[in-house]
Amino acid sequence: MAKLGFFGLGIMGYPMARNLLRAGHEVALWSHTAEKARRLATEAGGRFCATPREAARDAECMFLCVGDTAMAQDVILGEEGIVHGARSGAVVADASTISPSASRRIGAELKRKGVGFLDAPCTGSVPGAEGGTLTFMIGGDQAVFERARPLFEPMGKRLYYCGAAGMGLQAKLTQNLILSNILMAFNEGMVLAAKAGMDLKLMLDILDNSAAKSGLIAYKAPFVFRRDFHPNFSTKWMSKDIGLILESGAELYVPLLLTGVTSRLFQTALAAGLGEQDMCSTINVLEKMAGVEVKAS
């Protein structure tokens, strides 16, 4: 059993940290909302810490799951950040989805302190975090990854080593590029079908048994049909990721034409107040434009 740290106890981080505790590890807990760290410490036997520096002090390996690049930079490199508490030889694995170039800079700063760093974004949404079945895409020094590998296992069942620093994040952004554009196509297609008067359950069955079959559509469609937009992956966070995708495209001189349009849909959804709802709530934008609702008959 290892001495670990976990930073960021949102809808993903809380169950991830809980799974590490259930596996028998000693886990120091920090969250921007201190009450979450206190609650998990009480519930599962973790140790509440007031600052990232404090949580890093005795940890062999530390995991983060925070919202964006600025948050990750502050938790790791800020005035009370991990870098000021971590001991030489420790490992930091950032499961947040942030800018690959910023992540590489964070890793370089930690390396100067003798601390290993992995970019380790994950996918699987809330059910994967709760069930310990997440998929991790990992970049960084392979020897550091192999040392940390067993500590990922209570949280995830598939671990993909993607290469050098930043490559785990490039894999995650590529995945979310495809996911967000599939969701855009689903939104447009189902609104069109609803406007035409199609039986929408029949339309979904046709999709499931055609070349248009998609795991994302099969999973999200029932939520849309019953108008359940409780967040498994919120609109605001996918919109943030799409921004990172476009930023990466600009850095690498790759034109991402379709993704640019999808970004506008997500920004419109944010303006409509859908940021805290699940990303499948973006269909509301097109429904309002078309004057129709995609729901089970």
Side-chain angles (χ1 to χ4, degrees), residues 227-247:
R227 315 309 292 175
D228 177 2
F229 300 120
H230 182 79
N232 283 312
F233 186 32
S234 71
T235 300
K236 71 176 182 181
W237 294 131
M238 180 58 95
S239 183
K240 178 267 295 182
D241 288 359
I242 294 170
L244 293 174
I245 291 162
L246 294 172
E247 177 185 300

Side-chain angles (χ1 to χ4, degrees), residues 40-65:
L40 185 56
T42 301
E43 172 192 320
R47 178 167 59 89
F48 167 80
C49 295
T51 65
R53 180 204 292 252
E54 179 187 348
R57 195 164 294 140
D58 297 319
E60 303 164 37
C61 184
M62 291 151 275
F63 296 95
L64 282 78
C65 190

Side-chain angles (χ1 to χ4, degrees), residues 16 20 61 63 93-95 118-123 128 132-139 142 144-163 167-168 171:
M16 290 165 70
L20 291 171
C61 184
F63 296 95
D94 188 0
L118 302 169
D119 52 284
C122 57
T123 187
T133 59
L134 293 169
T135 294
F136 287 90
M137 293 147 276
I138 296 158
Q142 189 165 10
V144 173
F145 166 57
E146 294 300 337
R147 185 151 49 95
R149 179 195 284 270
L151 303 174
F152 282 90
E153 290 172 358
M155 300 182 291
K157 299 308 178 192
R158 290 185 178 86
L159 307 176
Y160 291 103
Y161 177 69
C162 299
M167 297 309 293

Side-chain angles (χ1 to χ4, degrees), residues 85-273:
R87 64 194 191 194
S88 180
V91 175
V92 175
D94 188 0
S96 320
T97 304
I98 67 171
S99 159
S101 54
S103 179
R104 283 189 285 267
R105 289 193 293 271
I106 291 170
E109 287 294 322
L110 287 172
K111 187 175 182 179
R112 279 192 271 274
K113 298 281 187 175
V115 177
F117 183 69
L118 302 169
D119 52 284
C122 57
T123 187
S125 295
V126 174
E130 291 179 342
T133 59
L134 293 169
T135 294
F136 287 90
M137 293 147 276
I138 296 158
D141 186 290
Q142 189 165 10
V144 173
F145 166 57
E146 294 300 337
R147 185 151 49 95
R149 179 195 284 270
L151 303 174
F152 282 90
E153 290 172 358
M155 300 182 291
K157 299 308 178 192
R158 290 185 178 86
L159 307 176
Y160 291 103
Y161 177 69
C162 299
M167 297 309 293
L169 284 161
Q170 290 294 166
K172 176 65 184 291
L173 294 182
T174 298
Q175 182 214 10
N176 277 1
L177 181 156
I178 294 168
L179 278 180
S180 60
N181 287 321
I182 288 173
L183 183 66
M184 177 73 157
F186 168 75
N187 289 345
E188 290 191 355
M190 296 307 283
V191 168
L192 178 65
K195 188 75 173 186
M198 275 287 303
D199 178 323
L200 297 181
K201 288 186 176 179
L202 173 63
M203 189 68 245
L204 181 60
D205 192 49
I206 291 168
L207 293 176
D208 279 343
N209 291 282
S210 74
K213 180 179 177 65
S214 161
L216 176 72
I217 291 172
Y219 179 70
K220 291 293 187 185
F223 289 94
V224 173
F225 287 175
R226 63 177 181 263
R227 315 309 292 175
D228 177 2
F229 300 120
H230 182 79
N232 283 312
F233 186 32
S234 71
T235 300
K236 71 176 182 181
W237 294 131
M238 180 58 95
S239 183
K240 178 267 295 182
D241 288 359
I242 294 170
L244 293 174
I245 291 162
L246 294 172
E247 177 185 300
S248 181
E251 289 176 354
L252 297 170
Y253 301 102
V254 177
L256 303 174
L257 308 179
L258 182 60
T259 307
V261 176
T262 297
S263 175
R264 298 296 179 267
L265 172 71
F266 273 81
Q267 289 171 6
T268 304
L270 293 180

